[in-house]
Amino acid sequence: MSADGWGSVLVLGGIRSGKSAFAEALVAGAASVRYVATAVGGEDDPEWRERIESHQRRRPQSWTTEETGADPARLAALLTDAKPDDTLLVDDLGGWVAALLDPARQPNDDLATVTALAEAVQACSARVVLVSPEVGLSLVPATPVGRAFADALGTANQALAGACDRVAFVVAGRPAWLKSGPDEPAIVTDLQAENNAAPLTVDPVAMHDAMTAATPANGTPVLPRPEPPAPAGAEPPTPEEAVAAHRARTATAGALHAPTMVLPLVASGAVIEAGMDLPLPDSDAGPDARDRLAGVDLPGAGIGALLEAVEFAAATQATATPRPWGPVRVLLIAGRHGGGATAGADAADAARRADEAEAGTGALARLAATADADIVVVRTPATGAMEDGPVLDAEAVDAALRQGWALADAAAEDGRDVLVLASCGVGTEAAATAVLAATTGAEPVAVLPRVLVPGGFYDDAAWMVRCAAVRDAMHRIRQEPRGAKDILAQLGGADLAVATGALLGAAARRLPVLLDGPLGIAAGLVARDLASQARHWCLLPDAGNQALVVQGADVLGLTPVVQLGMDLGEGANALAVLPLLRSAIALAGALPVHPALLAGHGDGGLTADEDDTADDDSDDDRDFAEPEPHGPGPASA
């Protein structure tokens, strides 16, 4: 079991409930994930294959995929063989049960297979998140095969709920915790009854508070921790005493783990810490916008790669018909690092560019003027040489994070629709390289950008000095903690801390952020370790030609919208692409359904009004990671 009290989580949910996105968010902070796809079939269904490919595209390339559809018993073997530092995401048990009930595998002791899976989960030394459809809230299926599937899946869900440390139920994208501790008692399940298990007593706290505990209504939860055991020989409390004691114990923790959206963070002095709870974009609106585009009145085949921006805008606006972004705020962060990180850099030239942006001149300001964007220049304090020692103390890290949060909050209050992170600092690229190496294990010499000097020439001698600085810094911290704040204090500096705080504050205010350079990518990696939801509010318009940006974006799960290979300076690339993104979003949100589809309404076509809501009314349970098999399964049920 991990230090924060859980090793396994079962995520239940109905059709299009958002359970898969919720489960993915639970493991988003892991360095790598083994994604276990359980279902087979669907090769003859192009639309279903497109959905599968959409799931695959949103997984980071650092994830690996295992398939168990051909042999359901292999799932238990994978769990048994997993190592303590592994993270497994199983999506989902509906496909696993359907494969288990395949007539080709009958006769089979299905109950024994379910029991073996539950035992494997309970004994697994790795972190495991399992996704499963909840089929028990609808009518009893009318067909024998449907009833068999519902019964088998219900039995599996009960068995896994007993084996897992935590159980969450997701409804309409909102999770609620059904089980808050590995030893929390519940009712006698059907499986236990068949095995003549003794009834379990129900703890009054578990019934009164754990089942009704406030779960964040906006995304990934803070996992509840188990209650401390009662002292040996103590008299059992009355139900009223137990509830009062539980509330007293959790009063402070509940305040700290409340959704950040309702915490007056900057004003109250609350501390930004790992495990913060921030909102998530709407998990259904993006796919719904993609589906809607298939029928809109476009003269050609579609908007191509710009679909990534449309899905992002739809998810962050929680609508399948997003509107184009309005005013934009550019945060130009001018950092100053010391030591070898600044080799070949011209501090006076960097200061000149910041002054020009403030005065409305220079490349960044001209692009901002055409993109309806204003620029706020943020000059951060100088930080020391990372090869010599920590570049910031703990108080300075907290102050910089809070400053960034306040800047994002001010952008939202000023009515800005998007935040763009820009940089013109000295030594920032080397600091970002060190952060990428420390958080992902990347090789610094492979990702450190070359040192460009005026005239289009590269200073390779300065690049080698920067490499040496990053190498020495990595050696210095080899035995130091690698938490998010530790990384900022040891390597990142004030500019990266401000950028990290801005990403967290933007996520709290549901404000999309455009990233396109080393500062933004490094800040995204640190912000991910403080609040995994922050990366879901980020879009990468263009990755440019820097390996640092490409590799860091892959770890964050960000796919470049376009591949123009621009290198106009951090922030300027995003502003150059912004008008194109706005055009695509405007088309996707404003165009009606093609008249030919409306004409066929009598034969199953859609009216214009029905088109806007058709996706919301869908009852197609296709949350699985892979196609469901033909035969016993949800379709039959």
Side-chain angles (χ1 to χ4, degrees):
M1 183 175 294
S2 64
D4 54 358
W6 70 276
S8 54
V9 176
L10 174 64
V11 179
L12 300 169
I15 299 168
R16 300 287 282 177
S17 62
K19 57 185 181 293
S20 292
F22 176 77
E24 290 170 8
L26 287 177
V27 300
S32 63
V33 175
R34 295 172 65 187
Y35 190 100
V36 183
T38 60
V40 294
E43 291 82 0
D44 299 329
D45 187 343
E47 186 269 341
W48 178 227
R49 290 306 308 172
E50 171 60 25
R51 287 174 179 262
I52 296 304
E53 291 168 2
S54 176
H55 269 262
Q56 293 169 343
R57 283 193 296 268
R58 79 186 191 195
R59 300 176 205 160
Q61 292 185 12
S62 59
W63 289 19
T64 59
T65 301
E66 305 272 359
E67 296 188 4
T68 65
D71 181 12
R74 184 167 175 262
L75 178 55
L78 285 174
L79 296 170
T80 302
D81 295 340
K83 296 178 175 57
D85 57 349
D86 286 344
T87 300
L88 280 72
L89 173 57
V90 182
D91 195 352
D92 69 5
L93 290 180
W96 182 81
V97 168
L100 187 65
L101 296 179
D102 190 327
R105 295 188 178 90
Q106 301 300 322
N108 178 60
D109 189 347
D110 298 331
L111 183 59
T113 306
V114 169
T115 303
L117 177 61
E119 292 173 348
V121 169
Q122 198 160 30
C124 185
S125 59
R127 275 198 165 190
V128 183
V129 176
L130 303 105
V131 181
S132 185
E134 175 52 61
V135 296
L137 301 179
S138 61
L139 297 175
V140 175
T143 63
V145 69
R147 288 192 293 272
F149 174 81
D151 291 346
L153 184 56
T155 299
N157 285 347
Q158 291 184 52
L160 270 297
C164 288
D165 299 330
R166 306 286 188 271
V167 180
F169 184 47
V170 181
V171 181
R174 302 296 186 261
W177 289 102
L178 306 182
K179 182 179 180 182
S180 59
D183 300 320
E184 182 179 305
I187 63 172
V188 176
T189 67
D190 295 341
L191 190 62
Q192 292 168 332
E194 292 178 12
N195 294 330
N196 297 317
L200 295 171
T201 58
V202 178
D203 178 72
V205 176
M207 292 298 293
H208 189 281
D209 280 343
M211 297 291 288
T212 59
T215 300
N218 48 27
T220 306
V222 174
L223 292 174
R225 300 178 183 273
E227 296 296 337
E235 289 292 328
T238 65
E240 293 77 9
E241 291 171 340
V243 169
H246 174 73
R247 286 175 173 166
R249 285 192 301 269
T250 58
T252 304
L256 291 177
H257 294 309
T260 308
M261 281 291 291
V262 301
L263 287 176
L265 183 74
V266 174
S268 68
V271 179
I272 299 176
E273 293 286 1
M276 297 177 70
D277 174 46
L278 298 178
L280 273 172
D282 190 298
S283 61
D284 291 333
D288 288 348
R290 170 189 284 269
D291 294 344
R292 182 181 181 277
L293 273 175
V296 300
D297 189 12
L298 285 171
I303 59 175
L306 298 177
L307 182 59
E308 183 81 18
V310 172
E311 288 194 31
F312 176 78
T316 53
Q317 295 178 29
T319 175
T321 54
R323 60 175 178 81
W325 295 312
V328 175
R329 169 69 48 85
V330 179
L331 288 184
L332 177 60
I333 302 177
R336 293 178 294 157
H337 294 261
T342 64
D346 186 344
D349 189 61
R352 175 183 64 83
R353 294 191 183 281
D355 292 340
E356 286 180 350
E358 233 170 9
T361 60
L364 187 69
R366 292 180 184 277
L367 287 169
T370 64
D372 191 18
D374 62 2
I375 301 176
V376 173
V377 178
V378 184
R379 295 177 175 85
T380 61
T383 54
M386 59 182 168
E387 62 268 36
D388 295 338
V391 296
L392 292 176
D393 59 29
E395 291 185 359
V397 170
D398 285 333
L401 287 170
R402 292 160 64 83
Q403 180 186 4
W405 183 292
L407 288 166
D409 194 62
E413 290 296 326
D414 291 343
R416 299 301 182 262
D417 286 349
V418 177
L419 195 66
V420 175
L421 282 187
S423 171
C424 64
V426 176
T428 300
E429 292 178 338
T433 299
V435 169
L436 179 67
T439 55
T440 70
E443 183 60 43
V445 297
V447 297
L448 178 65
R450 298 180 70 185
V451 181
L452 182 68
V453 296
F457 300 100
Y458 290 100
D459 187 342
D460 289 335
W463 178 84
M464 287 188 284
V465 174
R466 294 188 184 186
C467 277
V470 175
R471 176 202 63 200
D472 293 345
M474 296 302 298
H475 180 74
R476 179 181 61 78
I477 69 166
R478 65 192 183 281
Q479 294 181 338
E480 297 292 335
R482 298 290 180 95
K485 289 188 176 182
D486 301 315
I487 294 295
L488 292 174
Q490 295 286 353
L491 306 171
D495 52 349
L496 270 165
V498 169
T500 301
L503 291 182
L504 296 172
R509 294 301 300 264
R510 301 178 181 272
L511 184 66
V513 182
L514 303 187
L515 309 178
D516 71 348
L519 177 78
I521 291 297
L525 291 168
V526 179
R528 177 198 63 170
D529 292 339
L530 290 169
S532 61
Q533 304 91 340
R535 69 184 181 91
H536 294 282
W537 295 93
C538 298
L539 182 71
L540 185 66
D542 181 25
N545 53 18
Q546 295 186 353
L548 188 159
V549 176
V550 173
Q551 187 163 334
D554 180 62
V555 174
L556 289 172
L558 301 179
T559 302
V561 179
V562 296
Q563 295 279 11
L564 301 180
M566 295 188 296
D567 191 6
L568 303 175
E570 184 160 3
N573 296 336
L575 289 177
V577 178
L578 185 56
L580 184 61
L581 305 185
R582 279 175 166 149
S583 297
I585 296 168
L587 283 174
L591 285 180
V593 175
H594 194 283
L597 298 178
L598 294 176
H601 177 59
D603 298 321
L606 298 176
T607 66
D609 290 337
E610 288 171 333
D611 171 70
D612 290 338
T613 59
D615 290 321
D616 296 334
D617 295 335
S618 172
D619 62 352
D620 180 15
D621 187 9
R622 292 193 167 181
D623 255 345
F624 299 164
E626 298 295 337
E628 61 199 48
H630 301 293
S636 300

